[in-house]
Amino acid sequence: MSDAAHKAMWEALDLDIEAHDALLAVLGKFYGDIYMAQEGRLKGAEYLDFVLSEVHGLRIKELQDAKAAGKKIVGTFCVFVPEELTLAAGAVQVGLCAGAKAGTELAETLVPRNTCDLIKSFIGFKLARICPYTESCDLVVGETTCDGKKKAYEAFAELAPMHIMEVPQCKAPADRALFRAELVRYKEALEKLTGKAITAEALAEATRTVNAKRRALQRLSALRAADPAPISGRDALLVNQISFYDDPIRFTAKLNELCDEIEGRIAKGEGVAPAKTPRLLLAGCPMAVPNWKLPYLIESSGAVIVGEESCIGERNTRDLTDETPAGLEAMLDALCDRYMKIDCACFTPNDERLEHIAAMAQSLKADGVIHYGLLFCQPYAHEAMKVGKAMAAAGLPYLAIETDYGMEDAGQLKTRVEAFVETLA
Amino acid sequence: MTAYAGLDIGSRSIKLVVWQGGGVAASRRLPTTFDAVGQLRTLFAAGVPERLAVTGYGRELARELYPFARSVTEIKAHALGAGSLFPQAATLLDIGGQDTKAVSLLPGGRVGRFEMNDRCAAGTGKFLEYTATVFGLSVEDFGRLALTGDNPPTISSMCTVFAETEATTLIARGVSPANIALGLHKAVVSRTMAMLSRVGLAAPLAFVGGVARNPCMVRLLAEAADTPLLLPDEPDMTGALGAALWLRSVAP
């Protein structure tokens, strides 16, 4: 994964080269064990392997080239940041590193120890100087989706240029008005950053680009209803993860090619696991690269994952932005409508999420649901209990797991997941 | 007559049960130690069973040594073992060296809902073993000592290390060792009861695993659950028995 040719670029970004090399070595080994060892993979997965192998290489080079051409790079942590506006401003939007234990001790000097690993990770990556994405950003956008992030951004703002979007906690008209105003404020922040006004034409084109990406991801989701499962949950998760940082137009084209291949596979009745393999829906907290621990444990326990009810999954792709309105004001209304549909656990109440999970399980023909809660993520820990009740009412077997990025509980998790799969057989 | 061997590799001990002709033909237990592989070689010095099922946290290790062996989780194995010993059992509690498992049983020893402790060993045999060392006692004597307590303090911490700190504070305050021991046992039982209630505790309750040998745990648990417990003669062999029975059912 390491490439000497990229070293000058990493040095220019002021990365800690030694620590970064160590990170890439671990990531490469981890990827090899979890991804390359899979059997019956799609040919199109070569694209995934290539993108991942160049995640800190060619893609960063592209970002540097874009910067040299005058483009701005905007880093995000959340599906509430409207990519439509970022692209309309002629900027590039990337999801930032937050899926691995890195710089934990350093992070704990800025945030309390009982903070979730996702937050510690993005702070740790920054403090340890090992994320070329964070270091490439001209602006980092935070949002108020949980207390942990909200307060962590105050510390992060001392390290990077930040813009904070306020995400409301309810969905009443006053909350919509708040979020609508936040969209305008974000638009203005982008205009200030790029020095260019966002036009209706640019926003319309950006909306088409982002919707096309969502449609391709929706197409992938729908194809996973097939039995035998045509793609592993790990690969599908990786597709969703890559959707946050690859170029959106290239990504959409590549994903549609992958879906074409999947359709051919389904027509031949082929899959990554035999028909009747227990099918599980994974619900809960987002899994950022390279947080593949639980999917790997599940898929090495005799089950296959058929859907991700998560921000890095369905929550990010379920809803399209209406492309019909003309004029900036109406388009911003449409954006507000689309983003206020997100069923994030930061909202109260958030009953639509329970309905979405049951509906997903049904359409994907899942035999059971595993809820993944990241340790110290309070909103999802609460909802894990509500989801449990909703699944019992829907007659769906359910297992709630709470874990973090550490590997020390892998044995216990495997026992629980295997035992859950045994009850489905 | 075909023999079915069930091997349960736990954190503290390795258990082997051989089922043949409708009954247990052989049963062995030895400590896991830091060299489980060496212990397995000793166990199978006279030959590895032809039909072997492995369970317990060391099941992956055993599968590397004996690739022909079939693997089953300890949750299913304990449920089948307890189900065969006590067909009437509706709920199963297994407290082993590093795991606690609460399982609601369906007919035939099938697993309904289950709960298992997370990464830490709070409320498991390890917790009792560790806290026993605070008093310089073996875990067996620790349970007997606890039975003599009559006014236990409330131990609020379930973290093994913090519980030791709490016990040390209580010793300094002059609380008797018997009462502290009883308080620590009660803390384990209240945590266990929470797990049992999450799977829907229904009587009769079967109690298995090494900690079921602890007389204080048995008494406190029966009181807390308000039901007599179903206790096997050899509670730590249930998983190995279940693995053997499972093997017979899947590969007769």
Side-chain angles (χ1 to χ4, degrees):
Chain A
M1 190 155 297
S2 181
D3 184 347
H6 298 316
K7 202 175 157 196
M9 176 175 73
W10 294 331
E11 280 172 347
L13 287 169
D14 195 27
L15 295 193
D16 179 336
I17 298 297
E18 205 177 304
H20 183 252
D21 282 350
L23 172 75
L24 290 192
V26 171
L27 188 60
K29 165 88 173 61
F30 204 43
Y31 190 77
D33 291 346
I34 291 180
Y35 279 93
M36 306 305 276
Q38 294 182 93
E39 281 170 22
R41 256 179 123 204
L42 294 149
K43 198 172 169 299
E46 280 171 14
Y47 159 68
L48 306 179
D49 294 340
F50 181 71
V51 171
L52 228 280
S53 71
E54 289 294 342
V55 59
H56 280 196
L58 283 180
R59 182 62 183 142
I60 298 298
K61 174 78 168 49
E62 285 181 350
L63 297 186
Q64 302 316 309
D65 292 348
K67 280 166 84 91
K71 285 198 161 201
K72 299 295 180 186
I73 313 296
V74 175
T76 66
F77 297 107
C78 179
V79 298
F80 273 101
V81 182
E83 191 175 4
E84 291 92 336
L85 283 175
T86 313
L87 296 185
V92 179
Q93 181 164 316
V94 289
L96 294 180
C97 306
K101 250 191 197 322
T104 306
E105 293 78 12
L106 290 169
E108 286 174 2
T109 64
L110 284 189
V111 294
R113 282 195 63 206
N114 56 353
T115 299
C116 81
D117 267 356
L118 189 137
I119 292 172
K120 276 189 201 167
S121 175
F122 75 71
I123 298 211
F125 269 109
K126 175 72 191 170
L127 291 173
R129 293 187 290 125
I130 47 180
C131 177
Y133 289 89
T134 305
E135 301 311 321
S136 299
C137 285
D138 299 293
L139 183 69
V140 174
V141 186
E143 67 327 298
T144 58
T145 42
C146 75
D147 287 353
K149 277 172 135 188
K150 186 168 81 184
K151 301 308 284 183
Y153 293 139
E154 289 176 23
F156 201 74
E158 292 171 20
L159 310 167
M162 284 223 64
H163 172 85
I164 303 290
M165 279 185 82
E166 183 168 357
V167 174
Q169 315 275 291
C170 298
K171 291 183 176 176
D175 303 297
R176 306 183 74 85
L178 168 70
F179 192 67
R180 175 69 166 73
E182 285 297 289
L183 288 175
V184 172
R185 215 166 57 78
Y186 179 52
K187 173 177 164 287
E188 288 165 359
L190 286 167
E191 287 172 340
K192 189 171 159 224
L193 179 74
T194 60
K196 281 185 300 194
I198 290 177
T199 63
E201 292 71 31
L203 184 54
E205 194 194 329
T207 302
R208 282 192 294 274
T209 299
V210 180
N211 273 346
K213 176 161 82 167
R214 290 180 187 131
R215 279 193 196 94
L217 286 161
Q218 288 174 353
R219 185 181 168 204
L220 173 68
S221 295
L223 291 172
R224 292 168 76 191
D227 189 22
I231 181 170
S232 72
R234 270 166 286 175
D235 274 326
L237 172 64
L238 187 58
V239 168
N240 277 286
Q241 289 171 333
I242 286 175
S243 76
F244 283 87
Y245 61 81
D246 200 14
D247 174 77
I249 293 170
R250 172 175 58 208
F251 171 84
T252 303
K254 283 292 177 187
L255 177 53
N256 277 318
E257 282 172 27
L258 190 75
C259 287
D260 293 341
E261 186 190 348
I262 290 175
E263 280 173 356
R265 185 175 262 202
I266 293 171
K268 282 187 273 179
E270 292 172 3
V272 289
K276 308 293 171 208
T277 297
R279 302 161 63 85
L280 295 176
L281 174 65
L282 197 51
C285 289
M287 291 175 172
V289 174
N291 181 9
W292 304 309
K293 176 172 87 170
L294 189 56
Y296 175 65
L297 287 175
I298 293 172
E299 295 199 326
S300 52
S301 297
V304 63
I305 298 167
V306 294
E308 294 80 29
E309 188 276 335
S310 141
C311 302
I312 301 183
E314 200 80 355
R315 211 171 339 279
N316 185 41
T317 61
R318 178 183 292 118
D319 305 305
L320 299 176
T321 301
D322 187 358
E323 294 176 20
T324 51
L328 263 180
E329 293 305 316
M331 292 164 95
L332 285 169
D333 287 340
L335 269 186
C336 185
D337 288 344
R338 189 267 166 195
Y339 282 86
M340 286 298 286
K341 278 186 201 154
I342 297 175
D343 56 351
C344 171
C346 70
F347 285 101
T348 183
N350 190 33
D351 293 338
E352 59 265 42
R353 178 166 175 240
L354 307 178
E355 290 153 24
H356 283 147
I357 297 174
M360 263 186 95
Q362 192 186 21
S363 65
L364 293 169
K365 303 186 195 83
D367 300 305
V369 175
I370 293 187
H371 194 281
Y372 157 66
L374 183 57
L375 193 64
F376 303 126
C377 176
Q378 212 172 30
Y380 280 93
H382 277 275
E383 291 207 349
M385 297 184 192
K386 298 190 72 154
V387 176
K389 283 189 192 138
M391 294 306 104
L396 276 163
Y398 177 73
L399 176 70
I401 280 179
E402 193 168 65
T403 185
D404 61 15
Y405 296 172
M407 292 307 287
E408 66 271 19
D409 61 347
Q412 273 151 325
L413 285 183
K414 185 130 205 302
T415 296
R416 290 169 69 181
V417 171
E418 274 184 25
F420 182 63
V421 173
E422 283 169 351
T423 66
L424 303 175
Chain B
M1 244 180 298
T2 317
Y4 304 92
L7 179 68
D8 178 4
I9 306 176
S11 64
R12 299 293 297 149
S13 57
I14 296 173
K15 284 81 64 174
L16 175 70
V17 166
V18 180
W19 181 274
Q20 192 171 25
V24 174
S27 142
R28 288 278 311 272
R29 177 161 69 110
L30 65 171
T32 307
T33 74
F34 54 87
D35 180 18
V37 174
Q39 292 295 82
L40 288 172
R41 293 220 171 92
T42 307
L43 180 66
F44 294 137
V48 181
E50 231 172 84
R51 285 165 184 268
L52 178 65
V54 291
T55 188
Y57 98 110
R59 64 190 183 281
E60 306 278 334
L61 172 75
R63 289 257 299 122
E64 279 170 33
L65 292 172
Y66 318 117
F68 63 90
R70 300 278 299 262
S71 154
V72 62
T73 66
E74 49 264 45
I75 292 170
K76 183 164 192 163
H78 276 107
L80 287 168
S84 86
L85 294 169
F86 308 112
Q88 73 276 34
T91 313
L92 168 69
L93 173 67
D94 162 44
I95 309 186
Q98 69 174 17
D99 288 326
T100 298
K101 302 171 199 84
V103 183
S104 90
L105 293 174
L106 304 174
R110 285 187 306 121
V111 173
R113 293 179 61 183
F114 66 89
E115 285 276 333
M116 186 175 159
N117 59 310
D118 292 323
R119 64 188 60 214
C120 91
T124 68
K126 198 82 206 157
F127 177 86
L128 291 170
E129 195 174 286
Y130 187 84
T131 47
T133 62
V134 176
F135 299 90
L137 292 175
S138 72
V139 69
E140 293 78 15
D141 290 340
F142 188 54
R144 280 192 282 272
L145 172 70
L147 277 178
T148 67
D150 54 8
N151 185 21
T154 303
I155 306 277
S156 49
S157 181
M158 257 294 107
C159 167
T160 309
V161 179
F162 290 163
E164 187 195 358
T165 312
E166 209 168 334
T168 311
T169 311
L170 291 165
I171 290 169
R173 255 196 250 144
V175 180
S176 77
N179 279 329
I180 298 173
L182 183 57
L184 287 162
H185 280 77
K186 284 184 85 103
V188 174
V189 167
S190 80
R191 185 184 166 96
T192 305
M193 286 303 298
M195 281 175 83
L196 282 167
S197 71
R198 284 201 292 273
V199 301
L201 171 59
L205 169 64
F207 184 21
V208 306
V211 173
R213 290 181 183 276
N214 181 315
C216 186
M217 282 298 295
V218 170
R219 195 187 83 187
L220 294 178
L221 200 64
E223 282 170 13
D226 197 20
T227 171
L229 304 180
L230 302 171
L231 286 169
D233 295 333
E234 293 190 282
D236 32 17
M237 305 305 283
T238 319
L241 171 66
L245 293 173
W246 172 76
L247 185 63
R248 190 187 57 161
S249 70
V250 296

